[in-house]
Amino acid sequence: LTHFAGDAKLGLITDGTHRVQARKVAALGLAPHFREIVFTDALGGRAFSKPHPKSYEQIEAALGAAGDRLVYIGDNPAKDFIVPNARGWTSIMVHRPEHRRIHAGAQVAPGGAPQHTIASLTELPSVLGL
């Protein structure tokens, strides 16, 4: 993460049971790398899971940016990219064909096609023009 962040401000949106997701974040040592972490379950339960806009709005407020100044990276075309696309963020799907994907059978939601698809995070600089 530090390699890609540079001077960038990072946020994380994660669905699932708050307690479980918080343990994952702690186990992976992710918290220090993010200015804001939104556990959608903590916003009010499943009703606030992606693609509910509240978590994205919270990230915009915490990072002090909106629209084309933000990049969303995800892996589930059924829910990850709908709101970022609607809000003008750059949307990027990580698709690693050599790995079994949790969301391999996910259908692209209306308005939810990512603007870019990459096979590795090492492709980010070129996609983002860095």
Side-chain angles (χ1 to χ4, degrees):
L1 289 172
T2 307
H3 173 76
F4 294 110
D7 292 331
K9 300 173 197 171
L10 300 177
L12 174 68
I13 300 172
T14 184
D15 283 342
T17 306
H18 180 223
R19 189 180 71 221
V20 171
Q21 294 306 98
R23 277 195 226 138
K24 288 179 187 179
V25 167
L28 294 170
L30 297 177
H33 299 285
F34 292 93
R35 178 167 289 186
E36 182 76 5
I37 298 176
V38 178
F39 299 95
T40 61
D41 187 61
L43 297 175
R46 279 200 147 166
F48 290 93
S49 293
K50 295 177 259 176
H52 192 284
K54 188 170 184 171
S55 57
Y56 301 89
E57 293 165 357
Q58 190 170 330
I59 291 292
E60 287 177 347
L63 301 184
D68 65 354
R69 304 226 356 115
L70 295 169
V71 176
Y72 186 90
I73 302 168
D75 65 350
N76 187 346
K79 65 178 185 174
D80 281 345
F81 310 108
I82 300 165
V83 175
N85 286 343
R87 297 182 76 81
W89 300 19
T90 299
S91 59
I92 302 171
M93 183 168 80
V94 178
H95 173 69
R96 295 181 176 114
E98 72 279 3
H99 293 37
R100 197 187 93 170
R101 291 185 52 228
I102 294 170
H103 308 295
Q107 297 297 311
V108 176
Q115 297 160 9
H116 305 277
T117 300
I118 59 176
S120 169
L121 293 177
T122 60
E123 297 174 48
L124 276 178
S126 108
V127 168
L128 298 174
L130 302 175

